Amino acid sequence: MELLSGLLSSLGLSGAAGLNAFIPLLLVGLLSRADVVHLNAPFDLLGNPWVLLGVAVVGLLDFVGDKIPGVDHVLHVAGGVVNAAAGAVLFAAQSGVADVPPALSMALGLIVAGGVQATRTAVRPVATATTAGLANPVVSTVEDGTSLMLSALAVFAPLVAAVLLAVIVVGVYRFWSARRGRRLI
């Protein structure tokens, strides 16, 4: 049961990192400092006060920048690397409890977070183009809120987080398929 819980938690956290790299990193680091979450070395560095401060500062800059049309697109390009790396670290940090080899854990986290980030990067220009950028702050806030909710669920209710991640993936796929279908007609 611990293996399944650890894997589901890892999936949820890496999926949340695909939406916003800094929210799940900050949450896991803070929960580690509060002894709610145990992280093995080297991932226990996420609970270091200086690392938390750095993640919080960069996360705040990302939070603000992601609300500005144009700046958000630059952040999404950089996020292709940052979000995928955060997902890899979070997956490995959580699944380390479940005896999954670290290299496999990091690869899985990279795939999950990178996939969510790539989808987010592909969908955002549609919101920008159809609303002249006016929807960007709203879409970004929804992404951030979803990342926070998914992160908290991944830690405290991993099964619910995995189901939510699946619902998000299916919903985005259906939206994107319907959108592409309309273009062909």
Side-chain angles (χ1 to χ4, degrees):
M1 192 62 163
E2 185 177 329
L3 173 67
L4 181 61
S5 178
L7 289 175
L8 293 175
S9 181
S10 298
L11 280 170
L13 286 169
S14 59
L19 292 170
N20 183 315
F22 307 102
I23 289 173
L25 286 171
L26 191 59
L27 180 70
V28 168
L30 290 170
L31 290 174
S32 173
R33 286 211 43 89
D35 288 328
V36 174
V37 172
H38 174 72
L39 300 174
N40 293 327
F43 305 109
D44 59 344
L45 285 174
L46 289 174
N48 180 295
W50 291 106
V51 171
L52 286 171
L53 179 62
V55 169
V57 168
V58 175
L60 180 63
L61 293 173
D62 178 74
F63 179 81
V64 172
D66 198 37
K67 310 298 185 267
I68 303 168
V71 174
D72 65 338
H73 295 300
V74 172
L75 290 173
H76 288 177
V77 170
V81 174
V82 173
N83 292 45
V89 167
L90 288 162
F91 199 108
Q94 286 300 108
S95 65
V97 177
D99 296 327
V100 176
L104 177 60
S105 296
M106 294 190 88
L108 291 171
L110 187 85
I111 291 167
V112 172
V116 171
Q117 169 63 19
T119 303
R120 172 183 174 220
T121 301
V123 170
R124 182 66 79 89
V126 174
T128 301
T130 57
T131 66
L134 296 176
N136 287 26
V138 174
V139 172
S140 177
T141 302
V142 168
E143 291 169 351
D144 294 339
T146 303
S147 179
L148 178 60
M149 180 175 58
L150 194 55
S151 298
L153 287 171
V155 172
F156 298 111
L159 179 59
V160 177
V163 169
L164 178 60
L165 184 59
V167 166
I168 290 168
V169 168
V170 169
V172 168
Y173 174 77
R174 285 185 175 177
F175 169 79
W176 193 251
S177 294
R179 181 126 183 99
R180 286 187 62 196
R182 280 190 227 129
R183 284 188 190 163
L184 296 174
I185 295 174

